[in-house]
mmCIF file of all heavy atoms in Angstrom:
data_model
loop_
_atom_site.group_PDB
_atom_site.id
_atom_site.type_symbol
_atom_site.label_atom_id
_atom_site.label_comp_id
_atom_site.label_asym_id
_atom_site.label_seq_id
_atom_site.Cartn_x
_atom_site.Cartn_y
_atom_site.Cartn_z
ATOM 1 N N LEU A 1314 0.861 -1.223 -0.013
ATOM 2 C CA LEU A 1314 0.046 -0.038 0.024
ATOM 3 C C LEU A 1314 0.937 1.270 -0.044
ATOM 4 O O LEU A 1314 1.957 1.261 0.762
ATOM 5 C CB LEU A 1314 -0.900 -0.044 1.223
ATOM 6 C CG LEU A 1314 -1.801 -1.264 1.253
ATOM 7 C CD1 LEU A 1314 -2.538 -1.226 2.706
ATOM 8 C CD2 LEU A 1314 -2.815 -1.252 0.122
ATOM 9 N N CYS A 1315 0.355 2.143 -0.856
ATOM 10 C CA CYS A 1315 1.324 3.401 -0.905
ATOM 11 C C CYS A 1315 0.461 4.682 -1.143
ATOM 12 O O CYS A 1315 -0.753 4.615 -1.266
ATOM 13 C CB CYS A 1315 2.351 3.208 -2.085
ATOM 14 S SG CYS A 1315 1.547 2.983 -3.592
ATOM 15 N N ASP A 1316 1.188 5.763 -1.068
ATOM 16 C CA ASP A 1316 0.500 6.977 -1.424
ATOM 17 C C ASP A 1316 0.621 7.416 -2.888
ATOM 18 O O ASP A 1316 0.206 8.412 -3.213
ATOM 19 C CB ASP A 1316 1.109 8.090 -0.444
ATOM 20 C CG ASP A 1316 0.723 7.804 1.006
ATOM 21 O OD1 ASP A 1316 -0.337 7.177 1.311
ATOM 22 O OD2 ASP A 1316 1.608 8.075 1.838
ATOM 23 N N GLY A 1317 1.211 6.581 -3.625
ATOM 24 C CA GLY A 1317 1.342 6.868 -5.039
ATOM 25 C C GLY A 1317 0.183 6.448 -5.881
ATOM 26 O O GLY A 1317 -0.982 6.311 -5.275
ATOM 27 N N PRO A 1318 0.372 6.154 -7.110
ATOM 28 C CA PRO A 1318 -0.833 5.763 -7.906
ATOM 29 C C PRO A 1318 -1.454 4.423 -7.482
ATOM 30 O O PRO A 1318 -0.709 3.620 -6.745
ATOM 31 C CB PRO A 1318 -0.250 5.679 -9.374
ATOM 32 C CG PRO A 1318 1.206 5.470 -9.157
ATOM 33 C CD PRO A 1318 1.555 6.262 -7.860
ATOM 34 N N PRO A 1319 -2.575 4.132 -7.920
ATOM 35 C CA PRO A 1319 -3.111 2.819 -7.494
ATOM 36 C C PRO A 1319 -2.197 1.670 -7.996
ATOM 37 O O PRO A 1319 -1.422 1.832 -8.998
ATOM 38 C CB PRO A 1319 -4.464 2.779 -8.270
ATOM 39 C CG PRO A 1319 -4.939 4.122 -8.336
ATOM 40 C CD PRO A 1319 -3.516 4.924 -8.553
ATOM 41 N N ARG A 1320 -2.280 0.493 -7.302
ATOM 42 C CA ARG A 1320 -1.526 -0.672 -7.680
ATOM 43 C C ARG A 1320 -2.494 -1.710 -7.905
ATOM 44 O O ARG A 1320 -3.483 -1.981 -7.176
ATOM 45 C CB ARG A 1320 -0.628 -1.100 -6.478
ATOM 46 C CG ARG A 1320 0.405 0.080 -6.306
ATOM 47 C CD ARG A 1320 1.507 -0.320 -5.336
ATOM 48 N NE ARG A 1320 2.506 -1.022 -6.038
ATOM 49 C CZ ARG A 1320 3.529 -1.709 -5.530
ATOM 50 N NH1 ARG A 1320 3.670 -1.697 -4.213
ATOM 51 N NH2 ARG A 1320 4.392 -2.354 -6.275
ATOM 52 N N ALA A 1321 -2.139 -2.609 -8.960
ATOM 53 C CA ALA A 1321 -2.926 -3.696 -9.289
ATOM 54 C C ALA A 1321 -2.058 -4.644 -10.256
ATOM 55 O O ALA A 1321 -0.964 -4.129 -10.716
ATOM 56 C CB ALA A 1321 -4.095 -3.308 -10.064
ATOM 57 N N LYS A 1322 -2.456 -5.729 -10.490
ATOM 58 C CA LYS A 1322 -1.695 -6.646 -11.391
ATOM 59 C C LYS A 1322 -2.217 -6.527 -12.872
ATOM 60 O O LYS A 1322 -3.402 -6.681 -13.081
ATOM 61 C CB LYS A 1322 -1.758 -8.077 -10.920
ATOM 62 C CG LYS A 1322 -0.767 -9.007 -11.591
ATOM 63 C CD LYS A 1322 -0.872 -10.455 -11.172
ATOM 64 C CE LYS A 1322 -2.228 -11.096 -11.588
ATOM 65 N NZ LYS A 1322 -2.405 -11.100 -13.107
ATOM 66 N N VAL A 1323 -1.259 -6.387 -13.837
ATOM 67 C CA VAL A 1323 -1.825 -6.412 -15.191
ATOM 68 C C VAL A 1323 -2.494 -7.613 -15.455
ATOM 69 O O VAL A 1323 -2.213 -8.732 -14.774
ATOM 70 C CB VAL A 1323 -0.415 -6.216 -16.075
ATOM 71 C CG1 VAL A 1323 0.454 -7.339 -16.141
ATOM 72 C CG2 VAL A 1323 -0.962 -5.783 -17.499
ATOM 73 N N VAL A 1324 -3.396 -7.617 -16.439
ATOM 74 C CA VAL A 1324 -4.079 -8.860 -16.802
ATOM 75 C C VAL A 1324 -3.060 -10.006 -17.096
ATOM 76 O O VAL A 1324 -1.998 -9.795 -17.537
ATOM 77 C CB VAL A 1324 -5.008 -8.578 -17.950
ATOM 78 C CG1 VAL A 1324 -6.147 -7.732 -17.520
ATOM 79 C CG2 VAL A 1324 -4.382 -8.088 -19.194
ATOM 80 N N ASP A 1325 -3.555 -11.326 -16.798
ATOM 81 C CA ASP A 1325 -2.714 -12.448 -17.013
ATOM 82 C C ASP A 1325 -2.599 -12.673 -18.490
ATOM 83 O O ASP A 1325 -1.474 -13.021 -18.895
ATOM 84 C CB ASP A 1325 -3.562 -13.695 -16.635
ATOM 85 C CG ASP A 1325 -3.640 -13.541 -15.003
ATOM 86 O OD1 ASP A 1325 -2.716 -13.187 -14.381
ATOM 87 O OD2 ASP A 1325 -4.771 -14.089 -14.405
ATOM 88 N N VAL A 1326 -3.597 -12.548 -19.418
ATOM 89 C CA VAL A 1326 -3.540 -12.726 -20.806
ATOM 90 C C VAL A 1326 -4.385 -11.530 -21.403
ATOM 91 O O VAL A 1326 -5.091 -10.864 -20.654
ATOM 92 C CB VAL A 1326 -4.152 -14.046 -21.251
ATOM 93 C CG1 VAL A 1326 -3.300 -15.122 -20.771
ATOM 94 C CG2 VAL A 1326 -5.655 -14.205 -20.814
ATOM 95 N N PRO A 1327 -4.282 -11.169 -22.734
ATOM 96 C CA PRO A 1327 -4.865 -9.989 -23.205
ATOM 97 C C PRO A 1327 -6.315 -10.343 -23.354
ATOM 98 O O PRO A 1327 -6.901 -10.624 -24.496
ATOM 99 C CB PRO A 1327 -4.246 -9.924 -24.595
ATOM 100 C CG PRO A 1327 -3.719 -11.213 -25.008
ATOM 101 C CD PRO A 1327 -3.365 -11.861 -23.592
ATOM 102 N N ARG A 1328 -7.065 -9.927 -22.279
ATOM 103 C CA ARG A 1328 -8.573 -10.039 -22.361
ATOM 104 C C ARG A 1328 -9.135 -8.672 -21.862
ATOM 105 O O ARG A 1328 -8.943 -8.339 -20.603
ATOM 106 C CB ARG A 1328 -9.029 -11.074 -21.465
ATOM 107 C CG ARG A 1328 -8.767 -12.455 -22.038
ATOM 108 C CD ARG A 1328 -9.343 -13.598 -21.206
ATOM 109 N NE ARG A 1328 -9.103 -14.881 -21.893
ATOM 110 C CZ ARG A 1328 -8.860 -15.989 -21.117
ATOM 111 N NH1 ARG A 1328 -9.046 -15.953 -19.906
ATOM 112 N NH2 ARG A 1328 -8.531 -17.023 -21.799
ATOM 113 N N PRO A 1329 -9.666 -7.938 -22.658
ATOM 114 C CA PRO A 1329 -9.880 -8.138 -24.018
ATOM 115 C C PRO A 1329 -8.615 -7.929 -24.806
ATOM 116 O O PRO A 1329 -7.606 -7.139 -24.375
ATOM 117 C CB PRO A 1329 -10.873 -6.986 -24.456
ATOM 118 C CG PRO A 1329 -11.388 -6.338 -23.222
ATOM 119 C CD PRO A 1329 -10.427 -6.781 -22.092
ATOM 120 N N PRO A 1330 -8.461 -8.503 -26.058
ATOM 121 C CA PRO A 1330 -7.302 -8.363 -26.781
ATOM 122 C C PRO A 1330 -7.254 -6.895 -27.330
ATOM 123 O O PRO A 1330 -8.233 -6.266 -27.504
ATOM 124 C CB PRO A 1330 -7.441 -9.353 -27.903
ATOM 125 C CG PRO A 1330 -8.942 -9.745 -27.940
ATOM 126 C CD PRO A 1330 -9.395 -9.431 -26.577
ATOM 127 N N LEU A 1331 -5.898 -6.498 -27.571
ATOM 128 C CA LEU A 1331 -5.756 -5.183 -28.045
ATOM 129 C C LEU A 1331 -6.577 -4.746 -29.299
ATOM 130 O O LEU A 1331 -6.898 -3.539 -29.478
ATOM 131 C CB LEU A 1331 -4.245 -4.889 -28.355
ATOM 132 C CG LEU A 1331 -3.421 -4.366 -27.064
ATOM 133 C CD1 LEU A 1331 -1.946 -4.235 -27.454
ATOM 134 C CD2 LEU A 1331 -3.957 -3.081 -26.574
ATOM 135 N N GLU A 1332 -6.685 -5.671 -30.192
ATOM 136 C CA GLU A 1332 -7.434 -5.421 -31.459
ATOM 137 C C GLU A 1332 -8.861 -4.978 -31.149
ATOM 138 O O GLU A 1332 -9.563 -4.281 -31.962
ATOM 139 C CB GLU A 1332 -7.295 -6.454 -32.530
ATOM 140 C CG GLU A 1332 -7.823 -7.766 -32.146
ATOM 141 C CD GLU A 1332 -6.813 -8.706 -31.572
ATOM 142 O OE1 GLU A 1332 -5.749 -8.313 -31.130
ATOM 143 O OE2 GLU A 1332 -7.056 -9.945 -31.410
ATOM 144 N N LEU A 1333 -9.464 -5.406 -30.009
ATOM 145 C CA LEU A 1333 -10.769 -5.016 -29.670
ATOM 146 C C LEU A 1333 -10.729 -3.826 -28.728
ATOM 147 O O LEU A 1333 -11.644 -2.952 -28.681
ATOM 148 C CB LEU A 1333 -11.554 -6.170 -28.992
ATOM 149 C CG LEU A 1333 -11.822 -7.378 -29.905
ATOM 150 C CD1 LEU A 1333 -12.491 -8.505 -29.075
ATOM 151 C CD2 LEU A 1333 -12.603 -6.984 -31.071
ATOM 152 N N LEU A 1334 -9.723 -3.729 -27.962
ATOM 153 C CA LEU A 1334 -9.614 -2.682 -26.849
ATOM 154 C C LEU A 1334 -9.151 -1.442 -27.486
ATOM 155 O O LEU A 1334 -9.680 -0.225 -27.041
ATOM 156 C CB LEU A 1334 -8.679 -3.156 -25.843
ATOM 157 C CG LEU A 1334 -8.712 -2.478 -24.446
ATOM 158 C CD1 LEU A 1334 -10.019 -2.550 -23.793
ATOM 159 C CD2 LEU A 1334 -7.708 -3.270 -23.562
ATOM 160 N N ALA A 1335 -8.290 -1.360 -28.350
ATOM 161 C CA ALA A 1335 -7.638 -0.170 -29.030
ATOM 162 C C ALA A 1335 -8.763 0.773 -29.552
ATOM 163 O O ALA A 1335 -8.635 1.893 -29.413
ATOM 164 C CB ALA A 1335 -6.521 -0.574 -29.928
ATOM 165 N N PRO A 1336 -9.655 0.177 -30.359
ATOM 166 C CA PRO A 1336 -10.721 1.182 -30.893
ATOM 167 C C PRO A 1336 -11.436 1.826 -29.904
ATOM 168 O O PRO A 1336 -11.839 3.071 -30.104
ATOM 169 C CB PRO A 1336 -11.500 0.202 -31.762
ATOM 170 C CG PRO A 1336 -10.772 -0.955 -32.087
ATOM 171 C CD PRO A 1336 -9.874 -1.116 -30.926
ATOM 172 N N LEU A 1337 -11.777 1.299 -28.754
ATOM 173 C CA LEU A 1337 -12.427 1.847 -27.671
ATOM 174 C C LEU A 1337 -11.583 3.009 -27.086
ATOM 175 O O LEU A 1337 -12.034 4.115 -26.794
ATOM 176 C CB LEU A 1337 -12.899 0.937 -26.595
ATOM 177 C CG LEU A 1337 -14.041 0.112 -26.789
ATOM 178 C CD1 LEU A 1337 -14.366 -0.859 -25.665
ATOM 179 C CD2 LEU A 1337 -15.354 0.816 -27.137
ATOM 180 N N PHE A 1338 -10.286 2.658 -26.858
ATOM 181 C CA PHE A 1338 -9.242 3.669 -26.335
ATOM 182 C C PHE A 1338 -9.170 4.895 -27.163
ATOM 183 O O PHE A 1338 -9.188 6.002 -26.792
ATOM 184 C CB PHE A 1338 -8.036 3.082 -26.019
ATOM 185 C CG PHE A 1338 -7.893 2.474 -24.603
ATOM 186 C CD1 PHE A 1338 -8.797 1.477 -24.234
ATOM 187 C CD2 PHE A 1338 -7.002 2.862 -23.742
ATOM 188 C CE1 PHE A 1338 -8.733 0.933 -22.946
ATOM 189 C CE2 PHE A 1338 -6.893 2.415 -22.414
ATOM 190 C CZ PHE A 1338 -7.699 1.396 -22.040
ATOM 191 N N ARG A 1339 -9.074 4.662 -28.596
ATOM 192 C CA ARG A 1339 -9.112 5.783 -29.480
ATOM 193 C C ARG A 1339 -10.346 6.585 -29.496
ATOM 194 O O ARG A 1339 -10.203 7.828 -29.463
ATOM 195 C CB ARG A 1339 -8.895 5.099 -30.971
ATOM 196 C CG ARG A 1339 -7.308 4.779 -31.263
ATOM 197 C CD ARG A 1339 -7.174 4.531 -32.784
ATOM 198 N NE ARG A 1339 -7.975 3.382 -33.252
ATOM 199 C CZ ARG A 1339 -7.629 2.194 -33.209
ATOM 200 N NH1 ARG A 1339 -6.539 1.748 -32.747
ATOM 201 N NH2 ARG A 1339 -8.434 1.370 -33.830
ATOM 202 N N GLU A 1340 -11.538 5.942 -29.528
ATOM 203 C CA GLU A 1340 -12.780 6.643 -29.416
ATOM 204 C C GLU A 1340 -12.819 7.523 -28.197
ATOM 205 O O GLU A 1340 -13.443 8.643 -28.231
ATOM 206 C CB GLU A 1340 -13.995 5.753 -29.540
ATOM 207 C CG GLU A 1340 -15.288 6.465 -29.489
ATOM 208 C CD GLU A 1340 -16.470 5.425 -29.474
ATOM 209 O OE1 GLU A 1340 -16.310 4.114 -29.876
ATOM 210 O OE2 GLU A 1340 -17.588 5.859 -29.228
ATOM 211 N N ALA A 1341 -12.249 6.986 -27.084
ATOM 212 C CA ALA A 1341 -12.331 7.698 -25.787
ATOM 213 C C ALA A 1341 -11.285 8.831 -25.773
ATOM 214 O O ALA A 1341 -11.279 9.630 -24.803
ATOM 215 C CB ALA A 1341 -12.084 6.662 -24.709
ATOM 216 N N GLY A 1342 -10.478 8.836 -26.859
ATOM 217 C CA GLY A 1342 -9.345 9.916 -26.768
ATOM 218 C C GLY A 1342 -8.038 9.502 -26.233
ATOM 219 O O GLY A 1342 -7.142 10.357 -25.952
ATOM 220 N N PHE A 1343 -7.831 8.201 -26.063
ATOM 221 C CA PHE A 1343 -6.633 7.684 -25.513
ATOM 222 C C PHE A 1343 -5.860 6.681 -26.468
ATOM 223 O O PHE A 1343 -5.378 5.596 -25.972
ATOM 224 C CB PHE A 1343 -6.782 7.099 -24.095
ATOM 225 C CG PHE A 1343 -7.621 7.996 -23.274
ATOM 226 C CD1 PHE A 1343 -8.855 7.578 -22.721
ATOM 227 C CD2 PHE A 1343 -7.080 9.057 -22.767
ATOM 228 C CE1 PHE A 1343 -9.571 8.344 -21.907
ATOM 229 C CE2 PHE A 1343 -7.811 9.847 -21.870
ATOM 230 C CZ PHE A 1343 -9.167 9.526 -21.473
ATOM 231 N N GLY A 1344 -5.762 7.120 -27.698
ATOM 232 C CA GLY A 1344 -5.193 6.188 -28.692
ATOM 233 C C GLY A 1344 -3.765 5.972 -28.427
ATOM 234 O O GLY A 1344 -3.185 5.079 -29.056
ATOM 235 N N GLU A 1345 -3.008 6.884 -27.686
ATOM 236 C CA GLU A 1345 -1.577 6.672 -27.500
ATOM 237 C C GLU A 1345 -1.294 6.010 -26.064
ATOM 238 O O GLU A 1345 -0.129 6.310 -25.511
ATOM 239 C CB GLU A 1345 -0.919 8.050 -27.650
ATOM 240 C CG GLU A 1345 -1.035 8.623 -28.990
ATOM 241 C CD GLU A 1345 -0.459 7.845 -30.169
ATOM 242 O OE1 GLU A 1345 0.647 7.251 -29.932
ATOM 243 O OE2 GLU A 1345 -1.101 7.704 -31.161
ATOM 244 N N ALA A 1346 -2.213 5.375 -25.541
ATOM 245 C CA ALA A 1346 -2.085 4.830 -24.135
ATOM 246 C C ALA A 1346 -0.915 3.855 -24.176
ATOM 247 O O ALA A 1346 -0.551 3.050 -25.084
ATOM 248 C CB ALA A 1346 -3.322 4.069 -23.794
ATOM 249 N N LYS A 1347 -0.135 3.922 -23.020
ATOM 250 C CA LYS A 1347 1.076 3.023 -22.776
ATOM 251 C C LYS A 1347 0.657 1.647 -22.732
ATOM 252 O O LYS A 1347 -0.442 1.247 -22.239
ATOM 253 C CB LYS A 1347 1.698 3.512 -21.484
ATOM 254 C CG LYS A 1347 2.833 2.794 -21.068
ATOM 255 C CD LYS A 1347 3.415 3.155 -19.859
ATOM 256 C CE LYS A 1347 4.556 2.332 -19.317
ATOM 257 N NZ LYS A 1347 4.925 2.717 -17.979
ATOM 258 N N THR A 1348 1.488 0.728 -23.345
ATOM 259 C CA THR A 1348 1.202 -0.719 -23.179
ATOM 260 C C THR A 1348 2.199 -1.416 -22.265
ATOM 261 O O THR A 1348 3.364 -0.905 -22.058
ATOM 262 C CB THR A 1348 1.181 -1.383 -24.573
ATOM 263 O OG1 THR A 1348 2.484 -1.216 -25.204
ATOM 264 C CG2 THR A 1348 0.166 -0.788 -25.551
ATOM 265 N N SER A 1349 1.807 -2.603 -21.931
ATOM 266 C CA SER A 1349 2.693 -3.520 -21.084
ATOM 267 C C SER A 1349 2.470 -4.993 -21.525
ATOM 268 O O SER A 1349 1.393 -5.339 -21.974
ATOM 269 C CB SER A 1349 2.283 -3.296 -19.519
ATOM 270 O OG SER A 1349 2.586 -1.970 -19.049
ATOM 271 N N LYS A 1350 3.433 -5.701 -21.181
ATOM 272 C CA LYS A 1350 3.320 -7.123 -21.438
ATOM 273 C C LYS A 1350 2.399 -7.762 -20.333
ATOM 274 O O LYS A 1350 2.400 -7.359 -19.240
ATOM 275 C CB LYS A 1350 4.669 -7.757 -21.310
ATOM 276 C CG LYS A 1350 4.808 -9.227 -21.932
ATOM 277 C CD LYS A 1350 6.221 -9.596 -21.803
ATOM 278 C CE LYS A 1350 6.288 -11.039 -22.338
ATOM 279 N NZ LYS A 1350 7.541 -11.668 -22.370
ATOM 280 N N THR A 1351 1.567 -8.708 -20.803
ATOM 281 C CA THR A 1351 0.631 -9.454 -19.867
ATOM 282 C C THR A 1351 1.396 -10.220 -18.856
ATOM 283 O O THR A 1351 2.737 -10.453 -19.203
ATOM 284 C CB THR A 1351 -0.422 -10.218 -20.670
ATOM 285 O OG1 THR A 1351 0.244 -11.198 -21.420
ATOM 286 C CG2 THR A 1351 -1.312 -9.315 -21.423
ATOM 287 N N SER A 1352 0.816 -10.781 -17.867
ATOM 288 C CA SER A 1352 1.444 -11.713 -16.975
ATOM 289 C C SER A 1352 2.128 -12.914 -17.645
ATOM 290 O O SER A 1352 3.127 -13.388 -17.181
ATOM 291 C CB SER A 1352 0.653 -12.062 -15.865
ATOM 292 O OG SER A 1352 0.309 -10.980 -15.035
ATOM 293 N N PHE A 1353 1.313 -13.473 -18.581
ATOM 294 C CA PHE A 1353 1.766 -14.734 -19.173
ATOM 295 C C PHE A 1353 1.823 -14.494 -20.686
ATOM 296 O O PHE A 1353 0.987 -13.834 -21.277
ATOM 297 C CB PHE A 1353 0.849 -15.875 -18.891
ATOM 298 C CG PHE A 1353 0.678 -16.109 -17.400
ATOM 299 C CD1 PHE A 1353 -0.575 -15.818 -16.758
ATOM 300 C CD2 PHE A 1353 1.700 -16.554 -16.699
ATOM 301 C CE1 PHE A 1353 -0.756 -16.090 -15.461
ATOM 302 C CE2 PHE A 1353 1.507 -16.862 -15.300
ATOM 303 C CZ PHE A 1353 0.324 -16.554 -14.687
#
């Protein structure tokens, strides 16, 4: 627990996959969102 940003574990596998998630992020105005590798 910290006073910084929220902490959570990245998803285990890409659910939803980026090809479905990316259009929503673009529509929301976050097309350049940072990516990370999934847990597995």
Side-chain angles (χ1 to χ4, degrees):
L1314 301 174
C1315 63
D1316 295 327
R1320 298 191 78 190
K1322 189 182 71 58
V1323 69
V1324 291
D1325 296 322
V1326 294
R1328 290 187 183 150
L1331 272 177
E1332 60 266 14
L1333 296 178
L1334 202 51
L1337 284 182
F1338 271 60
R1339 280 193 300 275
E1340 183 180 344
F1343 307 116
E1345 300 298 319
K1347 179 181 171 186
T1348 59
S1349 294
K1350 194 172 175 186
T1351 59
S1352 293
F1353 302 113

